Amino acid sequence: MIEDGEEIPLLGGDVTEGLVRVGDTVRRPPGERDELVRDVLLYLEKTGFEGAPRYLGVDSAGRHALTYVEGEVAGRPRPPWIADEERALSVARLLRAYHDAIEGFGIPQNLPAPIQPPGLPDLDDPLELIGHQDVTPENVVFRDGRAYALIDFDLVRPVSRAGDVVNLMLWWAPFGEDADLDPQLRGLDRPRRCRLLADAYGLSEPDRERLMNLAIARDGRAWHTMKYRAETLGGGWQRMWSEGVGDTIRHRQAWLEEHADRLTTALLA
Ligand SMILES: Nc1ncnc2c1ncn2[C@@H]1O[C@H](COP(=O)(O)OP(=O)(O)O)[C@@H](O)[C@H]1O
Ligand SMILES: [Mg+2]
């Protein structure tokens, strides 16, 4: 039995409306991938992985109840520590631990078919595990200056390990022209940070070699996916699209193309 109680809205994320904290739990309104998220969280609990909320069940209002993970989460404006190298590397280690924990879960049959926006370019990338795919600053809980837990599993889906590392670097290297980044994240040495993130994760040599091409190809798809979500789901997706996320993706892709050789050299050095 999941108890009712005073509901405190949880803000800071971009898309989930109606997310609340009740005591030491959070309640998430039904979403696209509820069953997969539930199964992933239950599997992580079974393996003893500490770095994710626990799935508690469905409450009287039909919402999924998870544990509230105490700690520090980056809101807006961004705190200066989102640029901290040690913090970023701790996120890479947490992502690796998540991958090692979830790998044995495999890739379930009968997952809802991935969305196919018109014009979506193909991607030649092996599906190795259920990736998190949204390792943004607001989706990582820190304790004592180290990444402690991933939250917000709403975008989990089958990907390659490298595909999730691209998502990690996108936010924590990060990728993109300084002018497009949060002021706290400007002027960072991206080749160095990509290299250190790959080392902290323990990324294989073949994955390092193909990482930049994968990042570029994924941004080619991300533009279509974001546009499609804005058009079909509205809400926060539409708001992000009107605020120019499509242009940000295009600029980022151009930045990746321009710097791919330099970044790959750093990854392999
Ligand atoms: N299980 C949780 N434990 C601690 N904080 C959480 C939890 N779930 C959400 N939050 C807080 O609420 C914010 C928004 O939640 P999130 O699930 O990321 O929503 P969105 O889908 O909109 O990004 C997070 O950035 C975090 O601060
Ligand atoms: Mg979030």
Side-chain angles (χ1 to χ4, degrees):
M1 181 62 194
I2 294 157
E3 291 182 11
D4 297 334
E6 191 202 346
E7 310 217 335
I8 303 161
L10 283 172
L11 307 170
D14 280 315
V15 295
T16 306
E17 281 164 26
L19 189 70
V20 295
R21 175 173 179 177
V22 181
D24 54 7
T25 73
V26 300
R27 311 296 169 92
R28 305 189 68 90
E32 278 176 68
R33 271 168 252 245
D34 284 343
E35 285 176 24
L36 178 59
V37 174
R38 176 197 62 201
D39 294 349
V40 162
L41 295 179
L42 288 174
Y43 185 85
L44 292 173
E45 178 171 13
K46 210 170 69 181
T47 66
F49 178 69
E50 293 277 335
R54 296 288 179 242
Y55 182 82
L56 300 171
V58 176
D59 73 4
S60 60
R63 300 171 299 188
H64 292 271
L66 313 180
T67 55
Y68 181 86
V69 184
E70 291 287 352
E72 195 180 17
V73 178
R76 285 176 201 275
R78 295 291 194 219
W81 56 254
I82 57 161
D84 186 81
E85 194 168 273
E86 271 311 313
R87 291 228 189 196
L89 301 186
S90 75
V91 181
R93 287 190 285 269
L94 176 63
L95 186 69
R96 177 57 187 256
Y98 164 68
H99 283 175
D100 290 347
I102 202 63
E103 198 166 32
F105 177 75
I107 299 191
Q109 303 297 308
N110 310 322
L111 290 179
I115 55 170
Q116 284 293 330
L120 185 73
D122 286 337
L123 182 68
D124 180 19
D125 194 35
L127 303 180
E128 295 171 337
L129 42 69
I130 299 293
H132 182 278
Q133 291 294 285
D134 202 15
V135 191
T136 62
E138 57 270 81
N139 289 340
V140 180
V141 179
F142 288 85
R143 282 190 192 169
D144 303 322
R146 294 288 171 273
Y148 175 77
L150 295 168
I151 54 175
D152 192 357
F153 283 68
D154 281 2
L155 294 184
V156 288
R157 60 181 177 273
V159 287
S160 63
R161 282 177 174 261
D164 238 12
V165 171
V166 167
N167 185 265
L168 166 83
M169 287 183 182
L170 194 165
W171 301 109
W172 296 94
F175 292 156
E177 204 72 67
D178 268 357
D180 284 337
L181 300 176
D182 186 275
Q184 300 288 359
L185 292 169
R186 292 181 188 156
L188 299 174
D189 180 345
R190 266 71 72 73
R192 172 187 163 88
R193 288 174 62 107
C194 285
R195 168 60 196 250
L196 293 178
L197 286 168
D199 289 352
Y201 176 88
L203 193 67
S204 74
E205 178 115 2
D207 278 350
R208 288 173 196 239
E209 279 166 12
R210 71 192 191 90
L211 204 70
M212 286 304 135
N213 279 338
L214 180 61
I216 292 165
R218 284 174 50 100
D219 266 349
R221 288 166 65 87
W223 186 89
H224 290 274
T225 314
M226 290 299 284
K227 180 163 185 283
Y228 186 76
R229 288 205 183 107
E231 286 165 359
T232 56
L233 301 173
W237 298 107
Q238 179 56 51
R239 190 177 58 248
M240 283 190 274
W241 190 258
S242 2
E243 285 167 6
V245 71
D247 290 341
T248 306
I249 294 169
R250 288 285 196 236
H251 288 174
R252 189 171 68 211
Q253 197 182 11
W255 181 90
L256 282 165
E257 278 162 357
E258 188 186 334
H259 297 278
D261 288 348
R262 220 156 60 90
L263 294 168
T264 301
T265 304
L267 284 169
L268 294 170

